[in-house]
Amino acid sequence: MQFTPCLNVICQQIVPPVLNSFSDQDSRVRYYACEALYNIAKVVRGDFIVFFNQIFDALCKLSADSDANVQSAAHLLDRLVKDIVTDSDQFSIEEFIPLLRERMNVLNPYVRQFLVGWITVLDSVPDIDMLGFLPDFLDGLFNMLSDNSHEIRQQADSALSEFLQEIKNSPSVDYGRMAEILVQRAGSQDEFTRLTAITWINEFVKLGGDQLVPYYADILGAILPCISDKEEKIRVVARETNEELRGIEADPAEGFDVGAILSIARRQMSSEWEATRIEALHWMSTLLNRYRSEVLVFLNDVLDTLLKALSDPSDEVVLLVLEVHACIAEDPQHFCQLVVFLVHNFQLDHSLLEKRGSLIIRRLCVLLDAERVYRELSTILEGESDLDFASIMVQALNLILLTASELSDLRDLLKQSLVNADGKNLFLSLYASWCHSPMAIISLCLLAQAYQHASSVIHLLVEEDINVKFLVQLDKLIHLLETPTFAYLRLQLLEPGRYIWLLKALYGLLMLLPQILGLHLPSSALWTLRPSKSVASCSFLIHLQPPPAALFSLVSTSALLLTWFGSKKTPRMAF
């Protein structure tokens, strides 16, 4: 009956001096200390636990001892201590965890093996809840995944796999604290660490539920870069996780931070990887569809990023950007703001207008209604003080209007301008801004079948400076008259008596051509003019209804000049 108390007294008197001997400079002393403690542990068994933290600390150091014999003795002692702990009901995991957490950042491979061994053993004990304390040493285990030793990496991976399986089967897990660790590890330089971290995040998104709501932004910030990872396995898991996360509809009233998610998506818009930028845009679109009012609070920050993205080298990215723009512009106020921003961007970066202008305008017309887009653009350009830019912009809009398949309904409406109130209203809405470009306004009048007005405008062109820009635009207009858009116009030439103003307008355009002969222009600029079907059509009309001889002479001369240009004859040749 008195044996146990006696052992406790002996243990308390003998163990401390033995533990002190573990730090002796003489390796033989350290060896005998291991042997002595081994014998004591065999005798006292459970009473030994009171000194567990000190013994663990000593064994941790001895596991990396420079003397092989000391290491061997320490390993034997370590196995015995593990047996005692697993059988004891006096072991306190709460007191042990701080010591374990402190040691987890040690880089020595022997110490790492020692620590993983203890984690694995303690986790195997049913009465010890290691899973509940996993956040305290999870980062250390992930740290070991990039160790130089294959054995250590394998042991750490095995321990992590076991914990992940336990998490799947556990009804209560602290996902939040571990999510913070996983987010950091998902950006590791080590490929295996990234894969393991993103795999854990994938499971957490599936299992975590409401616990992860405050961490959604951080998780998304870890996932989006991994979507473009060089390792295919990581990309696959990241995409799956991204879809899982996007499928969860959280309530802002319950802690879902829309602004934080939007900030992550906006930051990833500057990623060097196209796939990441695309997914960031999908997130913006998702947030707008689900939490529109919350997103619009951050509109000024978002618009600047989205406008810069219109210069993205990827067409797919640009198209998605436009979809997000269109979603924002559903409200009249935001629509006007978008168009103003867009025109301003075109003005600052003419190359954007040149390279992407057609794609942007056409897509917006599909997403936001072509008439609405063109009316707003026209209103802005009407008062534009930079006349050169206004002219360039109008020419671009006019070319899109006349050639894009997406604007066919708008062209049909303009064709009815003389008989349809809506068509007339649209024509007048575009007219003021289209006046920034003579050729644009002429083509608009021809499209609206306002031939008499077109003829009047053409007569006013004699006051224009006939320079290279003018001639290039004139050439483009002549080519446009040969496109399917103006097929009806060419057929109307078969009835010259009914469409006399159309005939005069086309003749007027031809009459401008002889003025080229007096200019000292580079031949390359002149050779852009080619014989056109419009000229042939006018010549055909001469046979149908012979005009006055003088007019016939002028038309023939104009046709001859075009023929000369087309065959690269000397442009200053007299006729």
Side-chain angles (χ1 to χ4, degrees):
M1 296 292 293
Q2 297 179 356
F3 185 67
T4 300
C6 182
L7 285 179
N8 286 337
V9 172
I10 295 174
C11 187
Q12 292 174 6
Q13 292 177 348
I14 296 178
V15 170
V18 174
L19 290 175
N20 291 333
S21 299
F22 282 147
S23 57
D24 195 276
Q25 296 293 326
D26 192 333
S27 62
R28 291 177 299 174
V29 173
R30 297 196 300 274
Y31 176 83
Y32 290 128
C34 287
E35 185 178 11
L37 194 59
Y38 182 90
N39 292 325
I40 295 171
K42 285 182 67 175
V43 174
V44 301
R45 300 295 293 184
D47 294 327
F48 183 74
I49 298 300
V50 68
F51 295 101
F52 176 77
N53 278 10
Q54 296 96 310
I55 294 171
F56 179 87
D57 186 47
L59 286 173
C60 187
K61 295 174 182 176
L62 291 176
S63 66
D65 198 279
S66 58
D67 189 280
N69 291 327
V70 174
Q71 275 195 17
S72 179
H75 289 160
L76 289 173
L77 175 61
D78 180 53
R79 283 199 294 269
L80 176 59
V81 174
K82 286 175 180 174
D83 290 339
I84 295 173
V85 168
T86 55
D87 292 336
S88 174
D89 57 0
Q90 300 179 40
F91 176 75
S92 174
I93 185 66
E94 291 81 5
E95 294 179 7
F96 168 67
I97 288 298
L99 183 63
L100 176 63
R101 181 175 57 237
E102 182 182 343
R103 296 289 183 272
M104 287 302 290
N105 292 323
V106 175
L107 299 180
N108 186 284
Y110 297 107
V111 174
R112 283 185 162 182
Q113 282 185 305
F114 172 80
L115 294 173
V116 175
W118 267 100
I119 290 171
T120 303
V121 166
L122 292 177
D123 186 48
S124 67
V125 181
D127 294 335
I128 298 178
D129 181 22
M130 285 294 282
L131 184 60
F133 295 95
L134 181 57
D136 292 283
F137 56 87
L138 180 64
D139 190 57
L141 282 176
F142 267 93
N143 224 1
M144 297 180 190
L145 291 177
S146 58
D147 194 277
N148 292 329
S149 168
H150 174 73
E151 185 177 357
I152 293 175
R153 293 198 304 271
Q154 193 173 43
Q155 290 176 349
D157 179 50
S158 178
L160 286 169
S161 298
E162 184 61 32
F163 278 118
L164 185 57
Q165 190 60 42
E166 292 177 30
I167 289 172
K168 294 178 183 179
N169 300 324
S170 175
S172 177
V173 177
D174 186 357
Y175 290 101
R177 284 181 62 196
M178 289 189 286
E180 294 178 347
I181 297 169
L182 297 174
V183 164
Q184 295 297 322
R185 292 299 171 180
S188 171
Q189 295 295 317
D190 180 67
E191 182 181 296
F192 186 54
T193 304
R194 291 199 309 277
L195 177 59
T196 307
I198 203 70
T199 301
W200 275 60
I201 290 174
N202 180 273
E203 294 296 338
F204 275 28
V205 170
K206 294 176 182 177
L207 302 170
D210 296 339
Q211 285 193 49
L212 288 176
V213 169
Y215 304 95
Y216 275 7
D218 292 335
I219 291 173
L220 181 63
I223 291 171
L224 289 179
C226 288
I227 286 175
S228 302
D229 199 278
K230 60 183 180 181
E231 173 56 43
E232 184 180 1
K233 292 180 181 179
I234 296 176
R235 295 197 302 270
V236 170
V237 178
R239 286 190 176 279
E240 180 184 333
T241 310
N242 184 57
E243 293 304 316
E244 288 280 351
L245 190 64
R246 191 158 52 212
I248 299 174
E249 296 190 26
D251 188 349
E254 298 177 357
F256 182 73
D257 193 341
V258 175
I261 294 284
L262 189 64
S263 178
I264 291 293
R266 184 166 58 87
R267 185 161 67 243
Q268 292 300 327
M269 282 288 297
S270 60
S271 169
E272 62 177 312
W273 305 109
E274 179 184 351
T276 295
R277 299 197 301 275
I278 288 173
E279 289 305 320
L281 284 166
H282 281 311
W283 268 98
M284 284 191 176
S285 181
T286 299
L287 292 174
L288 275 166
N289 289 328
R290 294 180 185 171
Y291 315 102
R292 181 178 181 82
S293 59
E294 288 85 354
V295 172
L296 293 181
V297 172
F298 305 95
L299 184 60
N300 288 336
D301 296 332
V302 173
L303 273 180
D304 183 58
T305 302
L306 289 173
L307 284 171
K308 290 179 180 177
L310 292 174
S311 301
D312 196 279
S314 166
D315 283 348
E316 185 176 356
V317 170
V318 173
L319 291 174
L320 285 171
V321 169
L322 293 172
E323 288 186 15
V324 176
H325 273 304
C327 190
I328 294 173
E330 288 178 1
D331 301 330
Q333 174 189 352
H334 298 132
F335 172 77
C336 297
Q337 189 176 3
L338 166 63
V339 179
V340 169
F341 268 108
L342 191 59
V343 172
H344 180 65
N345 230 35
F346 283 147
Q347 188 171 13
L348 292 178
D349 184 3
H350 284 197
S351 64
L352 176 63
L353 176 61
E354 179 183 347
K355 297 176 182 177
R356 287 284 171 73
S358 177
L359 176 66
I360 292 171
I361 299 299
R362 290 168 63 182
R363 189 59 184 164
L364 284 180
C365 285
V366 172
L367 297 170
L368 294 173
D369 180 65
E371 182 175 349
R372 184 186 182 198
V373 171
Y374 262 72
R375 283 180 180 273
E376 188 64 29
L377 286 168
S378 180
T379 300
I380 295 171
L381 292 172
E382 182 179 348
E384 176 58 54
S385 58
D386 186 346
L387 299 183
D388 288 337
F389 166 71
S391 177
I392 294 171
M393 185 75 188
V394 165
Q395 289 168 24
L397 291 175
N398 184 65
L399 184 61
I400 297 168
L401 173 64
L402 296 177
T403 59
S405 58
E406 296 89 341
L407 277 72
S408 59
D409 291 342
L410 200 62
R411 291 195 293 270
D412 291 340
L413 183 60
L414 282 168
K415 289 176 185 176
Q416 303 298 318
S417 296
L418 298 181
V419 295
N420 183 296
D422 291 337
K424 177 181 178 182
N425 186 271
L426 175 60
F427 174 80
L428 294 176
S429 175
L430 301 181
Y431 186 89
S433 59
W434 255 238
C435 285
H436 284 299
S437 169
M439 299 308 162
I441 195 63
I442 292 172
S443 60
L444 180 65
C445 290
L446 294 177
L447 182 62
Q449 302 189 63
Y451 300 137
Q452 184 173 357
H453 191 68
S455 179
S456 299
V457 172
I458 291 169
H459 278 81
L460 293 175
L461 292 181
V462 296
E463 301 176 9
E464 288 287 318
D465 179 20
I466 309 298
N467 54 26
V468 173
K469 290 183 179 179
F470 181 93
L471 294 173
V472 170
Q473 290 303 310
L474 178 58
D475 179 54
K476 289 181 179 179
L477 175 57
I478 292 173
H479 281 288
L480 282 171
L481 293 177
E482 300 172 358
T483 62
T485 298
F486 288 105
Y488 70 93
L489 181 149
R490 297 195 298 275
L491 290 174
Q492 288 172 353
L493 289 175
L494 297 173
E495 302 179 71
R498 182 179 175 185
Y499 297 101
I500 184 64
W501 288 109
L502 170 59
L503 185 64
K504 288 185 176 182
L506 294 179
Y507 277 13
L509 290 176
L510 288 174
M511 294 308 103
L512 295 174
L513 296 177
Q515 301 178 46
I516 298 173
L517 296 179
L519 296 176
H520 298 280
L521 299 174
S523 58
S524 59
L526 295 176
W527 301 148
T528 60
L529 298 175
R530 296 288 185 268
S532 69
K533 296 176 184 177
S534 301
V535 177
S537 299
C538 292
S539 301
F540 174 62
L541 288 175
I542 293 171
H543 298 290
L544 290 179
Q545 182 176 321
L551 181 58
F552 176 79
S553 175
L554 287 172
V555 174
S556 301
T557 301
S558 300
L560 180 60
L561 286 171
L562 281 175
T563 302
W564 282 343
F565 295 158
S567 59
K568 299 188 178 181
K569 299 293 183 181
T570 304
R572 298 182 59 83
M573 185 182 295
F575 47 73

